[in-house]
PDB file of all heavy atoms in Angstrom:
ATOM      1  N   HIS A  79      -1.574  -6.474  16.756  1.00 72.00           N
ATOM      2  CA  HIS A  79      -0.792  -5.260  16.584  1.00 72.00           C
ATOM      3  C   HIS A  79      -1.305  -4.528  15.336  1.00 72.00           C
ATOM      4  O   HIS A  79      -1.604  -5.168  14.330  1.00 72.00           O
ATOM      5  CB  HIS A  79       0.690  -5.628  16.421  1.00 72.00           C
ATOM      6  CG  HIS A  79       1.606  -4.472  16.561  1.00 72.00           C
ATOM      7  ND1 HIS A  79       1.848  -3.595  15.535  1.00 72.00           N
ATOM      8  CD2 HIS A  79       2.335  -4.029  17.614  1.00 72.00           C
ATOM      9  CE1 HIS A  79       2.691  -2.671  15.935  1.00 72.00           C
ATOM     10  NE2 HIS A  79       3.001  -2.917  17.202  1.00 72.00           N
ATOM     11  N   PRO A  80      -1.403  -3.196  15.380  1.00 75.00           N
ATOM     12  CA  PRO A  80      -1.910  -2.457  14.213  1.00 75.00           C
ATOM     13  C   PRO A  80      -1.118  -2.703  12.935  1.00 75.00           C
ATOM     14  O   PRO A  80      -1.694  -2.750  11.851  1.00 75.00           O
ATOM     15  CB  PRO A  80      -1.812  -0.992  14.648  1.00 75.00           C
ATOM     16  CG  PRO A  80      -1.824  -1.019  16.123  1.00 75.00           C
ATOM     17  CD  PRO A  80      -1.185  -2.316  16.524  1.00 75.00           C
ATOM     18  N   LEU A  81       0.206  -2.866  13.032  1.00 74.00           N
ATOM     19  CA  LEU A  81       0.994  -3.143  11.838  1.00 74.00           C
ATOM     20  C   LEU A  81       0.592  -4.469  11.194  1.00 74.00           C
ATOM     21  O   LEU A  81       0.540  -4.584   9.970  1.00 74.00           O
ATOM     22  CB  LEU A  81       2.488  -3.170  12.174  1.00 74.00           C
ATOM     23  CG  LEU A  81       3.172  -1.818  12.333  1.00 74.00           C
ATOM     24  CD1 LEU A  81       4.615  -2.015  12.758  1.00 74.00           C
ATOM     25  CD2 LEU A  81       3.100  -1.029  11.061  1.00 74.00           C
ATOM     26  N   LEU A  82       0.299  -5.472  12.007  1.00 75.00           N
ATOM     27  CA  LEU A  82      -0.108  -6.764  11.457  1.00 75.00           C
ATOM     28  C   LEU A  82      -1.466  -6.670  10.781  1.00 75.00           C
ATOM     29  O   LEU A  82      -1.702  -7.301   9.747  1.00 75.00           O
ATOM     30  CB  LEU A  82      -0.126  -7.816  12.557  1.00 75.00           C
ATOM     31  CG  LEU A  82       1.221  -8.138  13.194  1.00 75.00           C
ATOM     32  CD1 LEU A  82       1.052  -9.158  14.304  1.00 75.00           C
ATOM     33  CD2 LEU A  82       2.198  -8.618  12.145  1.00 75.00           C
ATOM     34  N   ASN A  84      -2.693  -3.924   9.403  1.00 77.00           N
ATOM     35  CA  ASN A  84      -2.440  -3.207   8.158  1.00 77.00           C
ATOM     36  C   ASN A  84      -1.816  -4.126   7.108  1.00 77.00           C
ATOM     37  O   ASN A  84      -2.141  -4.034   5.928  1.00 77.00           O
ATOM     38  CB  ASN A  84      -1.538  -2.000   8.402  1.00 77.00           C
ATOM     39  CG  ASN A  84      -2.298  -0.820   8.945  1.00 77.00           C
ATOM     40  OD1 ASN A  84      -3.429  -0.572   8.561  1.00 77.00           O
ATOM     41  ND2 ASN A  84      -1.677  -0.090   9.846  1.00 77.00           N
ATOM     42  N   LYS A  85      -0.912  -4.996   7.541  1.00 79.00           N
ATOM     43  CA  LYS A  85      -0.324  -5.962   6.605  1.00 79.00           C
ATOM     44  C   LYS A  85      -1.399  -6.870   6.032  1.00 79.00           C
ATOM     45  O   LYS A  85      -1.399  -7.169   4.839  1.00 79.00           O
ATOM     46  CB  LYS A  85       0.745  -6.810   7.310  1.00 79.00           C
ATOM     47  CG  LYS A  85       2.073  -6.143   7.459  1.00 79.00           C
ATOM     48  CD  LYS A  85       3.058  -7.016   8.201  1.00 79.00           C
ATOM     49  CE  LYS A  85       3.261  -8.347   7.562  1.00 79.00           C
ATOM     50  NZ  LYS A  85       4.398  -8.485   6.699  1.00 79.00           N
ATOM     51  N   LEU A 132       4.806  -4.992  -1.948  1.00 85.00           N
ATOM     52  CA  LEU A 132       6.080  -4.457  -1.467  1.00 85.00           C
ATOM     53  C   LEU A 132       5.881  -3.590  -0.225  1.00 85.00           C
ATOM     54  O   LEU A 132       6.715  -3.604   0.694  1.00 85.00           O
ATOM     55  CB  LEU A 132       6.786  -3.680  -2.571  1.00 85.00           C
ATOM     56  CG  LEU A 132       7.208  -4.510  -3.785  1.00 85.00           C
ATOM     57  CD1 LEU A 132       7.855  -3.631  -4.837  1.00 85.00           C
ATOM     58  CD2 LEU A 132       8.107  -5.659  -3.400  1.00 85.00           C
ATOM     59  N   LEU A 133       4.781  -2.850  -0.163  1.00 83.00           N
ATOM     60  CA  LEU A 133       4.459  -2.077   1.032  1.00 83.00           C
ATOM     61  C   LEU A 133       4.183  -3.002   2.209  1.00 83.00           C
ATOM     62  O   LEU A 133       4.627  -2.752   3.332  1.00 83.00           O
ATOM     63  CB  LEU A 133       3.259  -1.173   0.769  1.00 83.00           C
ATOM     64  CG  LEU A 133       2.788  -0.271   1.893  1.00 83.00           C
ATOM     65  CD1 LEU A 133       3.884   0.693   2.306  1.00 83.00           C
ATOM     66  CD2 LEU A 133       1.549   0.489   1.452  1.00 83.00           C
ATOM     67  N   THR A 134       3.485  -4.103   1.942  1.00 82.00           N
ATOM     68  CA  THR A 134       3.213  -5.095   2.985  1.00 82.00           C
ATOM     69  C   THR A 134       4.510  -5.689   3.515  1.00 82.00           C
ATOM     70  O   THR A 134       4.689  -5.839   4.726  1.00 82.00           O
ATOM     71  CB  THR A 134       2.306  -6.211   2.428  1.00 82.00           C
ATOM     72  OG1 THR A 134       1.111  -5.626   1.926  1.00 82.00           O
ATOM     73  CG2 THR A 134       1.967  -7.230   3.474  1.00 82.00           C
ATOM     74  N   ALA A 135       5.428  -6.022   2.619  1.00 82.00           N
ATOM     75  CA  ALA A 135       6.715  -6.579   3.041  1.00 82.00           C
ATOM     76  C   ALA A 135       7.513  -5.562   3.856  1.00 82.00           C
ATOM     77  O   ALA A 135       8.176  -5.917   4.831  1.00 82.00           O
ATOM     78  CB  ALA A 135       7.515  -7.025   1.826  1.00 82.00           C
ATOM     79  N   SER A 136       7.439  -4.296   3.470  1.00 80.00           N
ATOM     80  CA  SER A 136       8.145  -3.263   4.212  1.00 80.00           C
ATOM     81  C   SER A 136       7.565  -3.095   5.613  1.00 80.00           C
ATOM     82  O   SER A 136       8.303  -2.855   6.570  1.00 80.00           O
ATOM     83  CB  SER A 136       8.079  -1.939   3.450  1.00 80.00           C
ATOM     84  OG  SER A 136       8.836  -0.969   4.111  1.00 80.00           O
ATOM     85  N   LEU A 137       6.254  -3.251   5.742  1.00 77.00           N
ATOM     86  CA  LEU A 137       5.635  -3.195   7.066  1.00 77.00           C
ATOM     87  C   LEU A 137       6.119  -4.357   7.933  1.00 77.00           C
ATOM     88  O   LEU A 137       6.229  -4.221   9.149  1.00 77.00           O
ATOM     89  CB  LEU A 137       4.120  -3.222   6.964  1.00 77.00           C
ATOM     90  CG  LEU A 137       3.458  -1.960   6.451  1.00 77.00           C
ATOM     91  CD1 LEU A 137       1.954  -2.158   6.356  1.00 77.00           C
ATOM     92  CD2 LEU A 137       3.788  -0.786   7.314  1.00 77.00           C
ATOM     93  N   GLY A 138       6.382  -5.499   7.306  1.00 74.00           N
ATOM     94  CA  GLY A 138       6.931  -6.632   8.051  1.00 74.00           C
ATOM     95  C   GLY A 138       8.302  -6.308   8.621  1.00 74.00           C
ATOM     96  O   GLY A 138       8.624  -6.694   9.740  1.00 74.00           O
ATOM     97  N   GLY A 139       9.115  -5.586   7.868  1.00 71.00           N
ATOM     98  CA  GLY A 139      10.414  -5.153   8.383  1.00 71.00           C
ATOM     99  C   GLY A 139      10.270  -4.189   9.541  1.00 71.00           C
ATOM    100  O   GLY A 139      11.032  -4.230  10.503  1.00 71.00           O
ATOM    101  N   THR A 140       9.263  -3.330   9.457  1.00 70.00           N
ATOM    102  CA  THR A 140       9.003  -2.402  10.563  1.00 70.00           C
ATOM    103  C   THR A 140       8.586  -3.159  11.807  1.00 70.00           C
ATOM    104  O   THR A 140       9.034  -2.859  12.919  1.00 70.00           O
ATOM    105  CB  THR A 140       7.897  -1.400  10.166  1.00 70.00           C
ATOM    106  OG1 THR A 140       8.309  -0.695   8.999  1.00 70.00           O
ATOM    107  CG2 THR A 140       7.620  -0.422  11.282  1.00 70.00           C
ATOM    108  N   PHE A 141       7.737  -4.166  11.643  1.00 71.00           N
ATOM    109  CA  PHE A 141       7.248  -4.933  12.791  1.00 71.00           C
ATOM    110  C   PHE A 141       8.360  -5.778  13.407  1.00 71.00           C
ATOM    111  O   PHE A 141       8.538  -5.802  14.616  1.00 71.00           O
ATOM    112  CB  PHE A 141       6.086  -5.825  12.371  1.00 71.00           C
ATOM    113  CG  PHE A 141       5.541  -6.660  13.482  1.00 71.00           C
ATOM    114  CD1 PHE A 141       4.762  -6.093  14.478  1.00 71.00           C
ATOM    115  CD2 PHE A 141       5.812  -8.020  13.557  1.00 71.00           C
ATOM    116  CE1 PHE A 141       4.258  -6.852  15.515  1.00 71.00           C
ATOM    117  CE2 PHE A 141       5.317  -8.790  14.588  1.00 71.00           C
ATOM    118  CZ  PHE A 141       4.538  -8.202  15.571  1.00 71.00           C
ATOM    119  N   ALA A 142       9.138  -6.473  12.582  1.00 68.00           N
ATOM    120  CA  ALA A 142      10.130  -7.418  13.092  1.00 68.00           C
ATOM    121  C   ALA A 142      11.417  -6.743  13.581  1.00 68.00           C
ATOM    122  O   ALA A 142      11.974  -7.125  14.607  1.00 68.00           O
ATOM    123  CB  ALA A 142      10.470  -8.447  12.021  1.00 68.00           C
ATOM    124  N   ARG A 143      11.902  -5.744  12.825  1.00 69.00           N
ATOM    125  CA  ARG A 143      13.198  -5.160  13.147  1.00 69.00           C
ATOM    126  C   ARG A 143      13.148  -3.681  13.501  1.00 69.00           C
ATOM    127  O   ARG A 143      14.158  -3.091  13.836  1.00 69.00           O
ATOM    128  CB  ARG A 143      14.144  -5.338  11.953  1.00 69.00           C
ATOM    129  CG  ARG A 143      14.458  -6.779  11.638  1.00 69.00           C
ATOM    130  CD  ARG A 143      15.338  -6.894  10.423  1.00 69.00           C
ATOM    131  NE  ARG A 143      14.818  -6.226   9.235  1.00 69.00           N
ATOM    132  CZ  ARG A 143      13.889  -6.708   8.433  1.00 69.00           C
ATOM    133  NH1 ARG A 143      13.366  -7.883   8.681  1.00 69.00           N
ATOM    134  NH2 ARG A 143      13.483  -6.044   7.370  1.00 69.00           N
ATOM    135  N   GLY A 144      11.983  -3.056  13.352  1.00 68.00           N
ATOM    136  CA  GLY A 144      11.863  -1.634  13.642  1.00 68.00           C
ATOM    137  C   GLY A 144      12.455  -0.750  12.561  1.00 68.00           C
ATOM    138  O   GLY A 144      12.693   0.431  12.779  1.00 68.00           O
ATOM    139  N   GLU A 145      12.706  -1.318  11.382  1.00 70.00           N
ATOM    140  CA  GLU A 145      13.243  -0.532  10.273  1.00 70.00           C
ATOM    141  C   GLU A 145      12.505  -0.892   8.995  1.00 70.00           C
ATOM    142  O   GLU A 145      11.963  -1.985   8.858  1.00 70.00           O
ATOM    143  CB  GLU A 145      14.737  -0.791  10.095  1.00 70.00           C
ATOM    144  CG  GLU A 145      15.054  -2.235   9.778  1.00 70.00           C
ATOM    145  CD  GLU A 145      16.543  -2.504   9.725  1.00 70.00           C
ATOM    146  OE1 GLU A 145      17.317  -1.636  10.163  1.00 70.00           O
ATOM    147  OE2 GLU A 145      16.938  -3.566   9.246  1.00 70.00           O
ATOM    148  N   SER A 146      12.467   0.049   8.077  1.00 71.00           N
ATOM    149  CA  SER A 146      11.708  -0.154   6.860  1.00 71.00           C
ATOM    150  C   SER A 146      12.302   0.679   5.742  1.00 71.00           C
ATOM    151  O   SER A 146      12.957   1.698   5.991  1.00 71.00           O
ATOM    152  CB  SER A 146      10.251   0.261   7.094  1.00 71.00           C
ATOM    153  OG  SER A 146       9.554   0.321   5.884  1.00 71.00           O
ATOM    154  N   LEU A 147      12.063   0.274   4.521  1.00 72.00           N
ATOM    155  CA  LEU A 147      12.453   1.084   3.378  1.00 72.00           C
ATOM    156  C   LEU A 147      11.571   2.322   3.248  1.00 72.00           C
ATOM    157  O   LEU A 147      11.909   3.262   2.546  1.00 72.00           O
ATOM    158  CB  LEU A 147      12.359   0.258   2.087  1.00 72.00           C
ATOM    159  CG  LEU A 147      13.367  -0.863   1.926  1.00 72.00           C
ATOM    160  CD1 LEU A 147      13.059  -1.673   0.680  1.00 72.00           C
ATOM    161  CD2 LEU A 147      14.772  -0.305   1.863  1.00 72.00           C
ATOM    162  N   LEU A 148      10.442   2.308   3.928  1.00 70.00           N
ATOM    163  CA  LEU A 148       9.483   3.404   3.800  1.00 70.00           C
ATOM    164  C   LEU A 148       9.461   4.339   4.991  1.00 70.00           C
ATOM    165  O   LEU A 148       8.536   5.126   5.140  1.00 70.00           O
ATOM    166  CB  LEU A 148       8.082   2.818   3.586  1.00 70.00           C
ATOM    167  CG  LEU A 148       7.939   1.880   2.400  1.00 70.00           C
ATOM    168  CD1 LEU A 148       6.564   1.290   2.358  1.00 70.00           C
ATOM    169  CD2 LEU A 148       8.257   2.615   1.115  1.00 70.00           C
ATOM    170  N   SER A 149      10.462   4.280   5.843  1.00 71.00           N
ATOM    171  CA  SER A 149      10.460   5.115   7.031  1.00 71.00           C
ATOM    172  C   SER A 149      10.600   6.598   6.696  1.00 71.00           C
ATOM    173  O   SER A 149      10.303   7.445   7.530  1.00 71.00           O
ATOM    174  CB  SER A 149      11.566   4.682   7.985  1.00 71.00           C
ATOM    175  OG  SER A 149      12.816   4.754   7.336  1.00 71.00           O
ATOM    176  N   TRP A 150      11.025   6.934   5.514  1.00 74.00           N
ATOM    177  CA  TRP A 150      11.163   8.330   5.096  1.00 74.00           C
ATOM    178  C   TRP A 150       9.822   8.959   4.719  1.00 74.00           C
ATOM    179  O   TRP A 150       9.719  10.173   4.590  1.00 74.00           O
ATOM    180  CB  TRP A 150      12.137   8.443   3.931  1.00 74.00           C
ATOM    181  CG  TRP A 150      11.747   7.610   2.751  1.00 74.00           C
ATOM    182  CD1 TRP A 150      12.082   6.306   2.540  1.00 74.00           C
ATOM    183  CD2 TRP A 150      10.939   8.002   1.643  1.00 74.00           C
ATOM    184  NE1 TRP A 150      11.524   5.854   1.357  1.00 74.00           N
ATOM    185  CE2 TRP A 150      10.820   6.886   0.797  1.00 74.00           C
ATOM    186  CE3 TRP A 150      10.309   9.183   1.283  1.00 74.00           C
ATOM    187  CZ2 TRP A 150      10.092   6.921  -0.388  1.00 74.00           C
ATOM    188  CZ3 TRP A 150       9.586   9.210   0.100  1.00 74.00           C
ATOM    189  CH2 TRP A 150       9.488   8.087  -0.718  1.00 74.00           C
ATOM    190  N   PHE A 153       3.962   9.428   6.778  1.00 67.00           N
ATOM    191  CA  PHE A 153       2.821   8.877   7.508  1.00 67.00           C
ATOM    192  C   PHE A 153       3.223   7.632   8.268  1.00 67.00           C
ATOM    193  O   PHE A 153       4.243   7.031   8.001  1.00 67.00           O
ATOM    194  CB  PHE A 153       1.638   8.586   6.579  1.00 67.00           C
ATOM    195  CG  PHE A 153       1.975   7.768   5.372  1.00 67.00           C
ATOM    196  CD1 PHE A 153       1.935   6.391   5.412  1.00 67.00           C
ATOM    197  CD2 PHE A 153       2.331   8.383   4.183  1.00 67.00           C
ATOM    198  CE1 PHE A 153       2.248   5.638   4.305  1.00 67.00           C
ATOM    199  CE2 PHE A 153       2.646   7.637   3.069  1.00 67.00           C
ATOM    200  CZ  PHE A 153       2.606   6.263   3.127  1.00 67.00           C
ATOM    201  N   SER A 154       2.362   7.272   9.210  1.00 68.00           N
ATOM    202  CA  SER A 154       2.650   6.151  10.095  1.00 68.00           C
ATOM    203  C   SER A 154       1.606   5.058   9.898  1.00 68.00           C
ATOM    204  O   SER A 154       0.455   5.331   9.584  1.00 68.00           O
ATOM    205  CB  SER A 154       2.614   6.634  11.545  1.00 68.00           C
ATOM    206  OG  SER A 154       2.702   5.536  12.417  1.00 68.00           O
ATOM    207  N   PHE A 155       2.034   3.850  10.104  1.00 64.00           N
ATOM    208  CA  PHE A 155       1.125   2.705  10.013  1.00 64.00           C
ATOM    209  C   PHE A 155       0.817   2.144  11.395  1.00 64.00           C
ATOM    210  O   PHE A 155       0.457   0.991  11.528  1.00 64.00           O
ATOM    211  CB  PHE A 155       1.739   1.606   9.144  1.00 64.00           C
ATOM    212  CG  PHE A 155       1.852   1.991   7.704  1.00 64.00           C
ATOM    213  CD1 PHE A 155       3.049   2.438   7.184  1.00 64.00           C
ATOM    214  CD2 PHE A 155       0.750   1.927   6.873  1.00 64.00           C
ATOM    215  CE1 PHE A 155       3.153   2.792   5.855  1.00 64.00           C
ATOM    216  CE2 PHE A 155       0.851   2.279   5.546  1.00 64.00           C
ATOM    217  CZ  PHE A 155       2.050   2.714   5.035  1.00 64.00           C
ATOM    218  N   ASP A 156       0.992   2.954  12.419  1.00 66.00           N
ATOM    219  CA  ASP A 156       0.761   2.480  13.782  1.00 66.00           C
ATOM    220  C   ASP A 156      -0.707   2.446  14.175  1.00 66.00           C
ATOM    221  O   ASP A 156      -1.048   1.979  15.248  1.00 66.00           O
ATOM    222  CB  ASP A 156       1.531   3.341  14.783  1.00 66.00           C
ATOM    223  CG  ASP A 156       3.025   3.123  14.650  1.00 66.00           C
ATOM    224  OD1 ASP A 156       3.421   2.020  14.218  1.00 66.00           O
ATOM    225  OD2 ASP A 156       3.787   4.048  14.970  1.00 66.00           O
TER     226      ASP A 156
END
Side-chain angles (χ1 to χ4, degrees):
H79 194 279
L81 282 176
L82 296 178
N84 280 323
K85 280 178 57 97
L132 296 178
L133 181 61
T134 303
S136 184
L137 287 178
T140 302
F141 179 74
R143 296 177 306 280
E145 61 185 13
S146 169
L147 291 174
L148 304 176
S149 58
W150 57 272
F153 51 88
S154 172
F155 292 99
D156 291 333

